[in-house]
Amino acid sequence: MYAIKRELKLNNREKTRMRGCAGFKRFVYNYCLDLITTSWLFEDIKAGDSKRLAAIKKVFTTLRMQKPENGWMKQYPSTIYQSAFMDIKDALARWRKGLGGFPKKKSKKKGDSFTVYKTSGIYPKKGEPALPFTNRAVINPGKLIKPPGMTTFRLKEPIDFFCSCQTFTVSRAADKWFISFTVDAEKIPPRVHPVHRIGVDLGVKCLATVSDGTKYEMPVTTKTAKTKLGKIQWRNRNKVLGNKRQGVRASSNAKKYYVKLARRHFIIVNIRKDTTQKMTTDLSRRADKIRIEDLNVSGMMANQKLANALSDKCFYEIRRQLIYKQAHYGSKVELVDRWFPSSKTCSHCGHKQDMKLHQRVFNCIKCGHSQDRDQNASINLENAPDDKVRSA
């Protein structure tokens, strides 16, 4: 599967429509979450989450939507509220398996998103699958796109080829709207890589140090953007975006400030994404085997003095990107045991000695070998014994 994401070029009327669709999805999601948590209080009812959600969906469609005060719901595509029930079902399933926390209510302040999909198709006979591409929306090349159940929207960046998809997700980041969908296509991985194996040491001072001498730094623009973000927050530290409980409406300046704040956060996110994507792509193209350390990121974040620097380096995101890009570039990611002393071992003679965090140069007291701390650790990761390495 290949994902495509494009920014939408919307006017004020279209933005209002998008916010309405997102608000409808948010209302249904929170309504469903309230009812299913309330249903757990009835001890006499013994049913799984699927049956409870099916009953809640029936109550919502037959009772809630039919009330006169909820007539506004009928002006939006029905797949929006159906996808909301799917999302709450998936969130509960992940929570049951221990893959995530208990689902929280959606808030307008944390971004808007909704999903639409095409439900109809041409079925030749009962019980047989639909004809190919009849249950999909066809997307033509150019700057126009028409999601199922909605009007045609303009794109800021064109789509260069014919494609089709069944499900479309519209999301908002700051004051920008995006649409994403998947295409049934796969990248053909290269058969030969220039380098057989490399070790990658992720650090605080330097984003990543490779055993072949390559270094990847986080751009200076990240620090500049975070400085500007801090200044904006300090100058508007007493500004409040209204208060519904007290009946206080948000001022125009408060709305402008929060949009500006969201834009600044969005810039920082894009800088990090661009850096990590380029770095992981370059590593995956060059090396056949990539060895990284199995870091305990959550435990390292407990250190308040390093938490800000660690979150800025995106350690887990780098690992996630390297793993999913294995299929794209034919590489193999290997995890070195987190207790392997890569920073305390001399890459020249194998002698182990204690190293404090502020010591940036490794000076071996046995053989006299002197080398950069991160470079020494990356070489040790590359040459780690097989019993300390496992596949990702």
Side-chain angles (χ1 to χ4, degrees):
M1 302 294 286
Y2 187 73
I4 298 177
K5 188 175 183 178
R6 293 290 187 269
E7 183 180 354
L8 295 170
K9 188 177 181 180
L10 307 177
N11 55 33
N12 292 335
R13 182 177 297 178
E14 291 171 339
K15 288 181 180 179
T16 303
R17 177 70 176 179
M18 292 295 188
R19 286 187 176 272
C21 294
F24 181 36
K25 191 267 180 75
R26 183 171 56 250
F27 174 84
V28 177
Y29 188 92
N30 295 341
Y31 173 82
C32 179
L33 186 59
D34 283 336
L35 283 189
I36 195 168
T37 51
T38 305
S39 67
W40 292 339
L41 301 177
F42 299 98
E43 299 179 356
D44 298 337
I45 301 176
K46 296 182 179 180
D49 293 335
S50 298
K51 291 185 177 180
R52 293 174 187 267
L53 289 173
I56 293 172
K57 186 176 181 180
K58 188 175 181 179
V59 170
F60 180 80
T61 54
T62 57
L63 297 177
R64 186 80 181 191
M65 291 187 66
Q66 303 305 323
K67 291 184 178 180
E69 60 270 20
N70 294 329
W72 57 272
M73 298 181 182
K74 297 181 180 180
Q75 61 180 325
Y76 300 110
S78 61
T79 54
I80 293 179
Y81 81 83
Q82 293 176 7
S83 63
F85 281 95
M86 296 178 187
D87 291 345
I88 194 69
K89 183 178 180 180
D90 294 340
L92 289 173
R94 288 180 57 83
W95 171 63
R96 297 286 188 188
K97 295 178 182 178
L99 300 177
F102 187 77
K104 298 180 180 179
K105 287 188 176 182
K106 293 190 176 295
S107 173
K108 187 187 298 184
K109 295 182 180 179
K110 295 182 180 180
D112 293 324
S113 66
F114 62 92
T115 302
V116 292
Y117 57 90
K118 188 174 181 180
T119 57
S120 60
I122 300 176
Y123 298 85
K125 293 181 181 180
K126 187 176 181 180
E128 294 184 1
L131 295 177
F133 303 105
T134 57
N135 60 342
R136 292 168 171 255
V138 179
I139 304 167
N140 298 318
K143 290 189 175 181
L144 297 178
I145 188 169
K146 187 181 184 306
M150 305 187 74
T151 58
T152 304
F153 297 103
R154 296 172 294 171
L155 300 173
K156 287 194 174 182
E157 185 181 355
I159 298 174
D160 302 326
F161 45 83
F162 281 99
C163 54
S164 63
C165 184
Q166 185 180 15
T167 306
F168 297 80
T169 299
V170 181
S171 58
R172 177 181 63 85
D175 56 342
K176 297 182 179 181
W177 289 87
F178 300 87
I179 186 168
S180 57
F181 55 93
T182 58
V183 179
D184 291 333
E186 295 182 359
K187 290 186 177 180
I188 301 176
R191 294 183 178 181
V192 181
H193 295 82
V195 183
H196 173 61
R197 185 174 64 196
I198 58 174
V200 181
D201 179 69
L202 304 178
V204 177
K205 290 287 185 179
C206 182
L207 177 60
T209 304
V210 190
S211 57
D212 61 357
T214 309
K215 288 190 175 183
Y216 298 92
E217 299 279 355
M218 186 63 74
V220 184
T221 50
T222 307
K223 186 176 181 180
T224 306
K226 293 181 71 174
T227 303
K228 292 182 179 180
L229 174 65
K231 289 182 179 179
I232 293 175
Q233 291 174 326
W234 171 257
R235 292 167 185 165
N236 299 273
R237 58 191 179 277
N238 297 323
K239 194 160 290 185
V240 181
L241 188 62
N243 193 318
K244 288 185 177 181
R245 295 182 179 179
Q246 298 179 1
V248 180
R249 298 184 61 182
S251 64
S252 299
N253 287 335
K255 293 179 180 178
K256 292 178 183 178
Y257 159 67
Y258 280 98
V259 171
K260 187 184 296 184
L261 186 66
R263 287 177 183 172
R264 186 58 54 185
H265 278 290
F266 188 55
I267 290 174
I268 296 174
V269 170
N270 285 341
I271 294 174
R272 289 174 178 168
K273 282 184 178 180
D274 181 70
T275 304
T276 55
Q277 288 285 355
K278 287 180 178 178
M279 186 195 76
T280 53
T281 299
D282 183 50
L283 291 174
S284 301
R285 283 176 175 171
R286 284 198 294 129
D288 182 38
K289 292 184 180 180
I290 305 172
R291 285 188 173 181
I292 59 175
E293 194 172 1
D294 185 17
L295 297 173
N296 182 16
V297 180
S298 58
M300 297 168 65
M301 292 286 289
N303 189 341
Q304 297 181 357
K305 296 181 180 179
L306 296 176
N308 187 26
L310 291 172
S311 62
D312 193 39
K313 301 301 180 183
C314 314
F315 286 172
Y316 182 79
E317 180 63 16
I318 292 173
R319 170 177 166 174
R320 187 190 69 85
Q321 291 180 14
L322 285 174
I323 291 175
Y324 85 75
K325 288 182 180 180
Q326 291 181 117
H328 293 177
Y329 300 101
S331 59
K332 183 180 180 181
V333 180
E334 297 179 340
L335 301 179
V336 181
D337 184 55
R338 66 181 57 174
W339 304 112
F340 177 71
S342 59
S343 299
K344 300 179 180 180
T345 306
C346 177
S347 60
H348 186 70
C349 66
H351 173 70
K352 297 179 183 178
Q353 63 186 42
D354 292 335
M355 283 284 293
K356 295 184 179 180
L357 189 60
H358 69 272
Q359 297 176 340
R360 305 313 306 169
V361 179
F362 185 90
N363 296 312
C364 183
I365 60 178
K366 184 177 180 180
C367 67
H369 177 68
S370 180
Q371 194 176 22
D372 178 73
R373 176 196 181 104
D374 296 336
Q375 186 69 35
N376 178 74
S378 63
I379 296 175
N380 288 330
L381 291 174
E382 179 186 358
N383 301 323
D386 294 337
D387 59 336
K388 299 291 184 181
V389 180
R390 63 182 177 89
S391 178

